[in-house]
Amino acid sequence: MTDSDIRTVAITGSTGYLGGLLRGRFIEEGLRVISLSRANAGPDSRHYEIEESPSADLLSDVDALIHCAYDMKVRRERDIWAVNVEGSRRLLEHARSSGVKRTIVLSSMSAFEGTQQLYGRSKLAIEDIAVANRAISVRPGIVYGPNAGGMAGALSALTRLPVVPVVASRSHQFTLHEDDFAAAMYALLRARIESWAPVGLANPVPVSFRALIMGLARLSGRSCRTVSLDWRIVLAGLRASEMLRIDLPFRADSLVGLANPAPMVPNLEIWQDLGITFRRFGQPVPATSIG
């Protein structure tokens, strides 16, 4: 079930939270990791920007590619498609033509049929491109850990408030500990599989939004009080602020995703076949089985 021929892995977005987790894990496993980023910082770094066409030698001598990069600064739909969707198309087509053995695309649990979130829709479009180029898309849940970034980091920061607004109290999320994320991605990198269907990457037991907030506060050594707010009212305020070009740490589109989550984690059987388990939210050690 493993491919020992993969020795060199290139990662886009390796300076971000999730890409950084993968970079660290792969190096620990003895792999050579090439960071594809805007800042070319040495022999194991190559210049790459998602909005540009990849250079002819970008993936030379690369066995596997992990595509984590996504420009969150662009917000209009046409710009998101021009930068992130078309940029991913150029990279994945280049990976296939360059003979890269395994390509994995970091998608999102926000990418599901019927999603109302612009980010989720763009990830769905990238997943279609991945299938056409024989790449595997994985949909991580909310990844958390001691130094969480991304959505978990933003939500954890909210727990510093005297009273934390719970804006989607009737919604849920699927969660993933950062150690389980890195372990699963390493196993997938080495697995011999020929399926291109998107794979969910999270414990399948949903966590209520309130429980998520309370749990993230505990992980940070804090307790917090919460108050429920109608997410649609908050959404209107966020959209008004964005129209006025007021820079806020939380985006309206992110709130849409939190309030309208994926109904389930797809295609978990692949992890069972690989012997990978995902702990439930709040568990200090891995569970004995998925779920």
Side-chain angles (χ1 to χ4, degrees), residues 97-178:
S97 65
S98 298
V100 174
K101 298 174 184 176
R102 168 60 47 85
T103 299
I104 303 175
V105 176
L106 208 64
S107 185
S108 168
M109 282 295 295
S110 297
F112 60 93
E113 293 301 328
T115 182
Q116 300 179 42
Q117 188 190 42
L118 181 56
Y119 174 73
R121 297 203 307 272
S122 71
K123 287 291 189 179
L124 274 178
I126 294 170
E127 288 182 357
D128 288 340
I129 295 168
V131 170
N133 288 280
R134 301 175 68 82
I136 305 169
S137 295
V138 294
R139 299 175 179 177
I142 290 184
V143 181
Y144 66 95
N147 299 296
M151 180 56 70
L155 294 176
S156 182
L158 284 179
T159 66
R160 299 190 184 98
L161 297 173
V163 179
V164 181
V166 177
V167 294
S169 59
R170 295 185 180 182
S171 73
H172 64 266
Q173 293 296 318
F174 296 101
T175 58
L176 178 66
H177 191 277
E178 59 185 29

Side-chain angles (χ1 to χ4, degrees), residues 13 15-16 37-39 48-52 68-85 118-119 122-123 242 245-254:
T15 57
S37 62
R38 294 178 186 275
Y48 169 74
E49 298 187 39
I50 193 170
E51 65 270 29
E52 298 179 356
C68 301
Y70 187 97
D71 191 342
M72 296 295 295
K73 296 189 298 297
V74 292
R75 300 195 176 191
R76 293 186 301 178
E77 183 171 358
R78 66 181 183 185
D79 295 334
I80 289 171
W81 252 252
V83 172
N84 291 304
V85 177
L118 181 56
Y119 174 73
S122 71
K123 287 291 189 179
E242 289 174 0
R245 300 186 182 278
I246 298 174
D247 190 19
L248 297 175
F250 207 80
R251 297 176 60 171
D253 194 54
S254 298

